[in-house]
Coordinates of all heavy atoms in Angstrom, one line a residue:
I21 N 178.3 121.0 121.0 CA 178.1 119.6 120.8 C 177.4 119.4 119.4 O 176.3 119.9 119.2 CB 177.3 118.9 121.9 CG1 178.0 119.0 123.2 CG2 177.0 117.4 121.5 CD1 179.3 118.3 123.3
S22 N 178.1 118.8 118.5 CA 177.5 118.5 117.2 C 176.6 117.2 117.3 O 177.0 116.2 118.0 CB 178.6 118.2 116.2 OG 178.0 117.8 115.0
L23 N 175.5 117.2 116.6 CA 174.6 116.1 116.6 C 174.8 115.3 115.3 O 173.9 114.5 114.9 CB 173.2 116.5 116.7 CG 172.8 117.3 118.0 CD1 171.3 117.6 118.0 CD2 173.2 116.5 119.2
D24 N 176.0 115.4 114.7 CA 176.2 114.7 113.4 C 176.3 113.2 113.5 O 176.3 112.5 112.5 CB 177.4 115.2 112.7 CG 178.7 115.1 113.5 OD1 178.6 114.5 114.7 OD2 179.8 115.5 113.1
F25 N 176.3 112.7 114.8 CA 176.2 111.2 115.0 C 174.8 110.6 114.7 O 174.7 109.4 114.6 CB 176.7 110.9 116.4 CG 175.8 111.4 117.5 CD1 174.7 110.6 118.0 CD2 176.0 112.6 118.0 CE1 173.9 111.1 118.9 CE2 175.1 113.1 119.0 CZ 174.1 112.4 119.4
L26 N 173.8 111.5 114.7 CA 172.4 111.0 114.6 C 172.2 110.5 113.1 O 172.8 111.1 112.2 CB 171.4 112.1 114.9 CG 171.3 112.6 116.3 CD1 170.4 113.9 116.4 CD2 170.8 111.5 117.2
P27 N 171.4 109.5 113.0 CA 170.9 109.1 111.6 C 170.1 110.2 111.0 O 169.7 111.2 111.6 CB 170.1 107.9 111.9 CG 170.5 107.4 113.2 CD 170.8 108.6 114.0
E28 N 169.9 110.1 109.7 CA 169.0 111.0 109.0 C 167.7 111.1 109.6 O 167.2 110.1 110.2 CB 169.0 110.7 107.5 CG 170.3 110.8 106.7 CD 170.7 112.2 106.6 OE1 169.9 113.2 106.8 OE2 171.9 112.5 106.3
G29 N 167.0 112.2 109.5 CA 165.7 112.4 110.0 C 165.7 113.5 111.1 O 166.7 114.1 111.5
T30 N 164.5 113.7 111.6 CA 164.3 114.7 112.7 C 163.9 114.0 114.0 O 163.3 112.9 114.0 CB 163.2 115.7 112.3 OG1 162.0 115.1 112.0 CG2 163.7 116.5 111.1
Y31 N 164.3 114.7 115.1 CA 164.0 114.2 116.4 C 163.3 115.2 117.3 O 163.6 116.4 117.2 CB 165.4 113.8 117.1 CG 166.0 112.6 116.5 CD1 166.8 112.7 115.3 CD2 166.0 111.3 117.1 CE1 167.4 111.6 114.7 CE2 166.6 110.2 116.5 CZ 167.3 110.4 115.3 OH 167.9 109.3 114.7
T32 N 162.4 114.7 118.1 CA 161.9 115.6 119.2 C 162.7 115.5 120.4 O 162.9 114.4 120.9 CB 160.4 115.2 119.5 OG1 159.6 115.3 118.3 CG2 159.9 116.1 120.6
A33 N 163.3 116.6 120.8 CA 164.3 116.6 121.9 C 163.7 117.2 123.1 O 163.1 118.3 123.1 CB 165.6 117.3 121.5
E34 N 163.7 116.5 124.3 CA 163.3 117.1 125.6 C 164.6 117.3 126.3 O 165.4 116.4 126.6 CB 162.5 116.1 126.3 CG 161.1 115.8 125.7 CD 160.3 114.7 126.4 OE1 161.0 114.0 127.3 OE2 159.1 114.6 126.2
I35 N 164.9 118.6 126.6 CA 166.2 119.0 127.1 C 166.0 119.6 128.5 O 165.2 120.5 128.7 CB 166.8 120.1 126.2 CG1 166.9 119.5 124.7 CG2 168.2 120.5 126.7 CD1 167.3 120.6 123.7
Y36 N 166.8 119.0 129.4 CA 166.8 119.5 130.8 C 168.1 120.2 131.1 O 169.2 119.6 131.0 CB 166.7 118.3 131.8 CG 165.4 117.4 131.6 CD1 165.3 116.5 130.6 CD2 164.3 117.6 132.4 CE1 164.2 115.7 130.4 CE2 163.1 116.9 132.3 CZ 163.1 115.9 131.3 OH 161.9 115.2 131.1
S37 N 168.0 121.5 131.5 CA 169.2 122.3 131.6 C 169.2 123.0 133.0 O 168.1 123.2 133.6 CB 169.2 123.4 130.6 OG 169.2 122.8 129.3
D38 N 170.4 123.3 133.5 CA 170.5 124.1 134.7 C 169.8 125.4 134.6 O 169.9 126.1 133.6 CB 172.0 124.3 135.0 CG 172.8 123.1 135.3 OD1 172.2 122.2 136.0 OD2 173.9 123.0 134.9
A39 N 168.9 125.7 135.6 CA 168.2 127.0 135.6 C 169.2 128.1 135.9 O 170.3 127.9 136.5 CB 167.1 126.9 136.6
P40 N 168.8 129.3 135.6 CA 169.7 130.5 135.8 C 170.1 130.7 137.3 O 171.2 131.2 137.6 CB 169.0 131.7 135.3 CG 168.0 131.1 134.3 CD 167.6 129.8 134.8
D41 N 169.2 130.2 138.2 CA 169.5 130.5 139.6 C 170.0 129.3 140.4 O 169.9 129.2 141.6 CB 168.2 131.0 140.3 CG 167.1 129.9 140.3 OD1 167.2 128.9 139.5 OD2 166.1 130.1 141.0
V42 N 170.6 128.3 139.7 CA 171.1 127.1 140.4 C 172.1 127.3 141.4 O 172.3 126.5 142.3 CB 171.5 126.0 139.4 CG1 170.3 125.4 138.6 CG2 172.6 126.5 138.5
A43 N 172.8 128.4 141.3 CA 173.8 128.7 142.4 C 173.2 128.8 143.8 O 173.8 128.5 144.8 CB 174.6 130.0 142.1
Q44 N 171.9 129.3 143.8 CA 171.2 129.5 145.0 C 170.2 128.3 145.2 O 169.9 127.9 146.3 CB 170.4 130.8 145.0 CG 171.3 132.0 145.1 CD 171.9 132.4 143.7 OE1 171.2 132.2 142.7 NE2 173.1 132.8 143.7
E45 N 169.6 127.8 144.1 CA 168.6 126.8 144.1 C 169.0 125.7 143.1 O 168.5 125.6 142.0 CB 167.2 127.4 143.7 CG 166.7 128.5 144.6 CD 166.4 128.0 146.0 OE1 166.2 126.7 146.2 OE2 166.2 128.8 146.9
P46 N 169.9 124.8 143.5 CA 170.5 123.8 142.6 C 169.5 122.8 142.1 O 169.8 122.0 141.2 CB 171.6 123.2 143.4 CG 171.3 123.5 144.8 CD 170.6 124.8 144.8
N47 N 168.3 122.7 142.7 CA 167.3 121.7 142.2 C 166.4 122.3 141.1 O 165.6 121.6 140.4 CB 166.3 121.3 143.3 CG 167.0 120.5 144.4 OD1 167.6 119.5 144.1 ND2 167.0 121.0 145.6
H48 N 166.6 123.6 140.8 CA 165.9 124.2 139.7 C 166.4 123.8 138.3 O 167.7 123.7 138.2 CB 165.9 125.8 139.8 CG 165.0 126.3 141.0 ND1 164.8 127.6 141.2 CD2 164.3 125.6 141.9 CE1 164.0 127.7 142.3 NE2 163.7 126.5 142.7
L49 N 165.5 123.7 137.4 CA 166.0 123.4 136.0 C 165.0 124.0 135.1 O 163.9 124.4 135.4 CB 166.1 121.8 135.8 CG 164.9 120.9 136.1 CD1 163.9 120.9 134.9 CD2 165.3 119.5 136.4
T50 N 165.4 124.0 133.8 CA 164.5 124.4 132.7 C 164.3 123.2 131.8 O 165.2 122.4 131.6 CB 165.0 125.6 131.9 OG1 166.3 125.2 131.3 CG2 165.3 126.8 132.8
K51 N 163.1 123.0 131.3 CA 162.8 122.0 130.3 C 162.3 122.6 129.1 O 161.3 123.4 129.1 CB 161.8 121.0 131.0 CG 161.5 119.8 130.0 CD 160.5 118.9 130.7 CE 160.1 117.7 129.7 NZ 159.1 116.8 130.4

């Protein structure tokens, strides 16, 4: 996913992703 739609400048991104063990524990995530 390209972020080229963003205006100029920098952003602080908080990213929530599927944890490695979600096949067994689907509520787990990484931030």
Side-chain angles (χ1 to χ4, degrees):
I21 299 295
S22 172
L23 300 184
D24 59 0
F25 65 91
L26 292 173
E28 293 292 342
T30 58
Y31 291 78
T32 299
E34 295 174 346
I35 304 173
Y36 300 82
S37 304
D38 294 321
D41 63 346
V42 288
Q44 295 77 37
E45 300 291 345
N47 294 302
H48 287 185
L49 58 81
T50 63
K51 181 182 178 181

